[in-house]
Amino acid sequence: MADTGSAPEYKKYQTYALNVDPDQDDKATEIKLCNFSRPHMRAFHCSWWCFFIAFFIWFSITPLLSEIAITLDLDKQQIWTSSITGVAGTIFMRFLLGPQCDKYGARVLFTIVLCVASIPTACTGLIQNAAGLAVLRLFIGIAGGSFVMCQYWSSRMFTKEVVGTANALVGGWGNLGGGVTQLVMGSLLFPLFKTGMSAEMAWRTVSIVPAIVAFTTGITVYFISDDSPKGNYSDLKKHGNMPEVSAAASFRSGAMNFNTWILFMQYACSFGVELTMNNAAALYFREEFNQSTEAAAAIASIFGWMNLFARGVGGFASDKMSARMGMRGRLIVQTILLACEGAMVLIFANTNNLAGAIVVMIVFSIFVQAAEGSTYGIVPYVNPPCTGSIAGIVGAGGNSGAVGFGLAFRQLARYKDAFIVMGCVILASAGLSAFIFIKGHASLLCGSDDPNIIGKGALSVPEPDAEEEEA
């Protein structure tokens, strides 16, 4: 056990199972994947599992869309309208939840989001037309906002030296839910339900299963985890060890930073692409290669399964290059991954046989998720006291990208044309790394890291505005 000694301020735990840095609010300096002890590794595992379940219910309907289209007599544009609303609603949620993380912590917000999103998920079987499908997916999209809590929680628990890896692992394993839901819902539960009822009744009832799991997860995580290494935010505030946070000031500080918006655009070209593929892959393989609903769902799930390691590889590479070259190393990794991703999308668009398309999709997926991991290896450095708000804004970029790419798939007659547009945009985003200038750190092309820069504690928060204090 690593003993940090007694501190004058309130701390829920006096000893930790992991080595910690007292200068960074007792954040862990290491990651032990097989450890589940509180507070650090318990939060780590709760973070990825909650996001996994959120992602699962968010896209639980996608492998069923071809069946829903048959029942409700929907065309391609109506299906894509529902997919766009499913990711568009999450944009607002990520902007909203970022500052709230700085104020309330990730644990409480995870509980609220999972429990609320489980309700429309359970109501999937009630839809009767295209409008109902779009509205339902809009409300299920609330679950997508949980990504902000996922990244904030791990940033809250691990030092900057390992936070890129930690963020990438929890984000990647959480994103894995998008692949697992294709397989479980489309190739396992739907066929299972269909054995005892009609195809229509099967898709109308099967979503009750993930809804129950999501609600149960939301309640459980509230009681078995902690907001921060030193305890829950409510206790820290009660003992005077954490000032009240102004969510508005936190959001304003994050939004006024130019680097935030560059990362917003780059994340649109990584996570936005993943969301688009979650909506498009099963439909693409069914329509372009004449696969059955079950087979198309199984193939589409491969894209999400790469999250098992690919996002972690991106974060790990970012941390390793940072150790060698500082911030410039992180930016180099970011640029290379985005450029390779864009190139692979263009190759995928021009692959006309099933086996080749699957192989290219796997490589394409690896670069997509690795770029996501490298992005959130940079986020905690932009403005540490506003990490929650910045994580929320950048995360919203992913959904914004999905909306933009979704519109391309909705409006363009051929999938190939939409993929070409996507690939060209991604290649352009890789060049944006040259315009990231973080105070105290080197840029991609010039400058050097300030050796006196040290990690600010996560309890350093934006102060409330004067008007708010008077109120």
Side-chain angles (χ1 to χ4, degrees), residues 180-452:
V180 174
T181 196
Q182 298 276 356
L183 191 62
V184 172
M185 295 296 289
S187 301
L188 180 62
L189 288 180
F190 175 67
L192 181 64
F193 273 56
K194 199 166 60 170
T195 58
M197 59 187 75
S198 66
E200 177 181 351
M201 186 56 65
W203 73 253
R204 287 188 181 278
T205 55
V206 70
S207 291
I208 294 174
V209 176
I212 293 173
V213 174
F215 190 89
T216 303
T217 297
I219 297 298
T220 302
V221 74
Y222 180 83
F223 294 103
I224 66 169
S225 56
D226 307 283
D227 293 333
S228 73
K230 294 181 180 178
N232 292 328
Y233 281 11
S234 57
D235 293 329
L236 292 171
K237 292 174 182 177
K238 186 186 304 181
H239 288 84
N241 298 130
M242 179 179 178
E244 281 293 340
V245 178
S246 166
S250 172
F251 180 81
R252 184 162 51 252
S253 297
M256 293 298 289
N257 194 308
F258 184 68
N259 299 305
T260 301
W261 296 103
I262 295 179
L263 293 172
F264 174 98
M265 290 184 281
Q266 291 188 323
Y267 202 60
C269 292
S270 54
F271 189 61
V273 172
E274 179 175 358
L275 294 180
T276 303
M277 287 299 291
N278 285 338
N279 283 320
L283 293 172
Y284 177 72
F285 283 103
R286 181 181 170 98
E287 295 177 18
E288 296 294 316
F289 297 101
N290 299 314
Q291 299 296 298
S292 67
T293 297
E294 292 83 357
I299 295 170
S301 73
I302 298 173
F303 191 94
W305 278 103
M306 296 303 103
N307 274 299
L308 192 60
F309 69 91
R311 187 162 182 154
V313 168
F316 181 76
S318 182
D319 284 343
K320 287 300 181 183
M321 285 294 285
S322 175
R324 292 181 58 187
M325 302 176 64
M327 180 55 64
R328 180 169 293 130
R330 293 189 186 274
L331 295 174
I332 289 173
V333 170
Q334 176 88 336
T335 304
I336 292 174
L337 291 175
L338 284 168
C340 292
E341 176 194 340
M344 293 309 301
V345 174
L346 295 177
I347 296 172
F348 181 73
N350 290 281
T351 304
N352 298 317
N353 65 83
L354 179 60
I358 293 173
V359 171
V360 174
M361 183 185 72
I362 290 172
V363 180
F364 156 35
S365 176
I366 290 172
F367 283 116
V368 169
Q369 284 134 28
E372 295 167 7
S374 65
T375 300
Y376 273 83
I378 298 170
V379 164
Y381 288 82
V382 176
N383 188 350
C386 307
T387 296
S389 294
I390 294 169
I393 294 170
V394 174
N399 294 81
S400 300
V403 170
F405 295 133
L407 288 171
F409 278 88
R410 182 182 186 275
Q411 298 302 123
L412 297 175
R414 299 190 307 166
Y415 279 106
K416 179 178 180 179
D417 295 334
F419 279 120
I420 289 174
V421 169
M422 179 188 287
C424 291
V425 172
I426 296 168
L427 286 172
S429 75
L432 295 177
S433 298
F435 300 98
I436 295 178
F437 297 93
I438 298 175
K439 184 178 181 181
H441 297 281
S443 69
L444 182 64
L445 303 175
C446 62
S448 60
D449 291 304
D450 184 349
N452 296 317

